[in-house]
């Protein structure tokens, strides 16, 4: 079947809100470049603090990049593992950073309610299902989170997992009850609308073409206008703007893939009897969740290749049937890819990189809560002089070694897939 190139998320917006391109010269206290979650949360955080004259520029449309294409999981933590954070930062700093992301989950909840954002929020938690028979990885992470981060994830034995997730593929699982999942593009548009109501000037179809010093501030030129701002925030993610060489050189744009089935009706119960979102314990894991209209959203894989919808469909459909062979023959209505920004150290790059110039990028496929955390850090820094962003100073602008870094990332992913396969084979799994 042929599929539209646009995602299910875009197709399912009831009305496509829009904001006009910038067609004039204007002054601003802050100019935010990038209309994804990092930029939107920074702008809204400033507006909520009463900060005037904030301008947000988006090259295409709000949520066009990873923010409007992702799996919709809302949970704590970073792409960098909790054990690595402990080793690198020590218990106090690691716990504080992790708590920033769980606090961001609660801020997302508050904003959904306070700003009445209709984003299909599903308060059903997230399940981390064990692909392998050995429960050690679950026990170790559960203990680590409880002892060092004050976070309690529930143990689900295999019988309970298979009652709720109708697959012979999984064994035990950990359940994160504080997590939720939602329609990320609706949420992105809700943030933009909320920021606009509070006075932020939002402009779509307005690529920033150059960034230059202008006295003590900055001048941002666009095709039809310009902004002279006291401060600028770069929040472009994997869709690099070409404004600062050191910023673009520090991240690798990596693609991930998502598809959405046709509505399954009662057949969804043949696969899922939980409303929780699910991902598994492999490095190269699947992630999926039920949608309100009985579709199943399915995502996975990372690649340096931004594949076509048909190619994405073929890859992910095979992955789906490895877990749920009973869904053979289901229709796939949408498939798409999108670019995430990864840093070599697997942590976000957040903070001040020059006088009056701020950065939020490299959320590495784990970005819904961390982008909210980043927006709050930057808004507090700009509006209140708060220096909490320095908690991430260990993770700065390190070179991604492109193009060699992209090849290395693909090789590393292939090696991780092989290790997953080898462990699976040694456990004697035949599925």
């Amino acid at each position: 079947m042929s599929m539209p190139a646009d995602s299910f998320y875009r197709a399912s917006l009831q009305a496509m809100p829009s904001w006009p391109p910038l067609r004039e010269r204007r002054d601003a206290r802050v100019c935010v470049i990038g209309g994804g979650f990092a930029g939107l949360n920074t702008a809204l955080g400033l507006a909520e603090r009463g900060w005037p004259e904030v301008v947000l520029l988006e090259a295409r449309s709000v949520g066009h990049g990873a923010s409007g294409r992702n799996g919709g999981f809302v949970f704590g933590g970073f792409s960098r593992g909790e054990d690595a954070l402990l080793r690198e930062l020590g218990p106090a700093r690691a716990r504080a950073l992790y708590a920033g992301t769980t606090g961001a989950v609660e801020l997302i909840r508050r904003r959904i309610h306070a700003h009445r954002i209709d984003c299909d929020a599903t308060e059903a938690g997230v399940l981390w299902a064990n692909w392998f028979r050995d429960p050690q990885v679950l026990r170790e992470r559960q203990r680590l989170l409880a002892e060092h981060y004050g976070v309690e994830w529930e143990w689900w034995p295999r019988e309970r997992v298979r009652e709720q997730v109708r697959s012979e593929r999984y064994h035990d699982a950990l359940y994160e009850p504080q997590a939720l999942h939602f329609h990320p593009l609706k949420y992105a548009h809700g943030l933009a609308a909320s920021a606009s109501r509070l006075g932020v000037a939002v402009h779509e179809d307005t690529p920033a073409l150059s960034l230059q010093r202008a006295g003590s501030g900055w001048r941002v030129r666009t095709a039809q206008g310009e902004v002279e701002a006291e401060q600028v925030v770069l929040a472009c993610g994997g869709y690099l703007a070409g404004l600062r060489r050191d910023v673009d050189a520090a991240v690798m744009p990596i693609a991930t893939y998502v598809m959405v089935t046709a509505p399954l009706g009662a057949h969804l119960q043949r696969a899922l009897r939980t409303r929780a979102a699910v991902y598994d314990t492999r490095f190269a894991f699947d992630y999926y969740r039920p949608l309100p209209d009985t579709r199943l959203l399915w995502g996975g894989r990372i690649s340096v290749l931004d594949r076509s919808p048909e190619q994405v469909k073929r890859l992910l459909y095979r992955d789906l049937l490895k877990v749920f062979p009973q869904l053979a023959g289901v229709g796939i209505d949408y498939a798409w890819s999108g670019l995430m920004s990864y840093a070599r150290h697997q942590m976000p790059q957040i903070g001040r990189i020059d006088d009056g110039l701020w950065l939020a990028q490299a959320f590495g496929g784990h970005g819904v809560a961390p982008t909210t955390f980043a927006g709050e850090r930057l808004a507090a820094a700009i509006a209140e002089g708060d220096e909490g962003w320095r908690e991430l100073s260990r993770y700065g602008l390190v070179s991604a070694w492109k193009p060699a870094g992209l090849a290395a990332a693909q090789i590393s992913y292939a090696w991780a897939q092989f290790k997953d396969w080898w462990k699976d084979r040694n456990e004697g799994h035949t599925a």
Side-chain angles (χ1 to χ4, degrees):
M1 63 179 287
S2 76
M3 292 170 296
D6 279 344
S7 72
F8 164 79
Y9 294 136
R10 189 162 296 280
S12 60
L13 287 180
Q14 295 300 314
M16 178 67 77
S18 62
W19 289 270
L22 179 68
R23 294 193 175 98
E24 60 186 356
R25 183 200 169 279
R26 63 180 305 160
D27 296 322
R29 299 286 297 280
V30 180
C31 178
V32 179
I33 301 174
F37 285 152
L40 291 168
N41 280 299
T42 303
L44 181 55
L46 287 167
E48 288 175 339
R49 288 168 171 79
W51 201 253
E53 298 176 67
V54 177
V55 175
L56 185 145
L57 306 180
E58 163 54 41
R60 299 187 68 169
S61 58
V62 163
H64 168 79
S67 297
R69 298 169 185 252
N70 63 77
F73 287 50
V74 185
F75 53 2
F78 299 96
S79 188
R80 191 86 172 135
E82 298 90 11
D83 55 345
L85 292 180
L86 275 177
R87 289 194 307 271
E88 294 161 1
L89 302 176
R93 289 183 64 204
R95 184 169 179 145
L97 273 185
Y98 191 95
T101 66
T102 55
V105 173
E106 296 310 312
L107 177 57
I108 289 167
R109 280 194 172 93
R110 292 197 299 273
R111 281 177 170 163
I112 288 171
H113 294 294
H115 297 289
R116 298 182 181 180
I117 300 174
D118 178 9
C119 58
D120 303 335
T122 303
E123 296 279 0
V126 169
L127 194 65
W128 190 44
N130 196 359
W131 188 267
F132 306 104
R133 288 191 174 92
D134 183 0
Q136 183 179 357
V137 66
L138 298 185
R139 291 295 187 192
E140 288 179 351
R141 191 176 188 194
Q142 184 185 40
R143 184 168 53 251
L144 181 77
L145 287 168
E147 291 179 1
H148 293 284
Y149 293 94
V151 173
E152 300 290 340
W153 285 13
E154 298 175 11
W155 181 271
W156 279 25
R158 185 176 73 171
E159 295 73 24
R160 185 175 182 186
V161 174
R162 292 187 177 181
E163 177 188 343
Q164 298 297 314
V165 182
R166 310 296 288 179
S167 175
E168 297 297 309
R169 181 60 268 185
Y170 302 126
H171 302 281
D172 305 318
L174 293 179
Y175 175 67
E176 186 178 358
Q178 294 84 12
L180 65 145
H181 55 96
F182 66 9
H183 189 303
L185 188 56
K186 285 183 180 179
Y187 183 66
H189 280 278
L191 291 178
S194 302
S196 181
R197 285 194 296 269
L198 292 175
V200 174
V202 179
H203 296 283
E204 295 181 310
D205 297 316
T206 306
L209 303 180
S210 69
L211 173 67
Q212 298 172 323
R213 269 287 177 199
S216 61
W218 297 89
R219 179 179 298 113
V220 182
R221 285 200 171 91
T222 71
Q224 301 178 71
E226 67 178 39
V227 180
E228 288 217 11
E230 296 173 12
Q231 305 193 64
V232 169
V233 177
L234 300 176
C236 302
Y239 293 79
L240 306 177
L243 299 174
R244 290 269 300 209
R245 184 175 298 176
D246 56 342
V247 169
D248 288 359
V251 290
M252 292 180 287
I254 301 290
T256 189
Y257 309 135
V258 185
M259 72 178 186
V260 172
T261 70
L264 301 179
H267 291 300
L268 180 60
Q269 294 288 311
R270 293 165 56 200
L272 281 181
R273 296 183 180 178
T274 176
R275 294 168 61 240
V278 181
Y279 67 118
D280 69 68
T281 55
R282 293 170 298 164
F283 181 88
F285 58 83
D286 302 320
Y287 54 91
Y288 53 92
R289 62 189 185 91
L291 301 183
D293 63 353
T294 75
R295 298 176 190 267
L296 183 65
L297 178 144
W298 188 279
R301 301 178 176 257
I302 63 171
S303 175
V304 298
L305 301 175
D306 200 10
R307 288 183 166 95
S308 72
E310 285 290 347
Q311 291 171 318
V312 170
K313 174 193 168 183
R314 286 195 296 271
L315 282 171
L316 295 188
Y317 184 72
R318 289 200 299 267
D319 293 345
L320 168 68
L321 295 187
K322 290 176 185 175
V323 178
F324 298 120
Q326 66 269 42
L327 294 183
V330 300
I332 307 299
D333 282 356
Y334 300 90
W336 66 93
S337 63
L339 297 177
M340 308 172 291
S341 61
Y342 273 84
R344 216 161 22 91
H345 48 54
Q346 299 177 307
M347 282 291 283
Q349 295 163 335
I350 301 170
R352 187 173 60 219
I353 57 172
D354 202 340
D355 290 341
L357 185 62
W358 302 85
L359 177 68
Q361 67 176 15
F363 296 95
H366 201 115
V368 178
T371 49
T372 306
F373 165 77
E376 281 297 283
R377 282 285 184 267
L378 295 190
I382 293 168
E384 301 160 7
D386 186 282
E387 295 206 332
W389 59 271
R390 294 189 184 275
E391 292 175 8
L392 285 126
S393 59
R394 189 186 192 283
Y395 305 105
L397 290 176
V398 297
S399 173
W401 295 339
K402 291 180 287 190
L406 292 170
Q410 191 66 62
I411 292 168
S412 175
Y413 181 73
W415 175 242
Q417 283 183 304
F418 174 78
K419 289 192 292 184
D420 288 338
W421 173 83
W422 185 255
K423 184 175 181 180
D424 205 24
R425 181 179 183 274
N426 285 341
E427 286 190 346
H429 211 293
T430 57

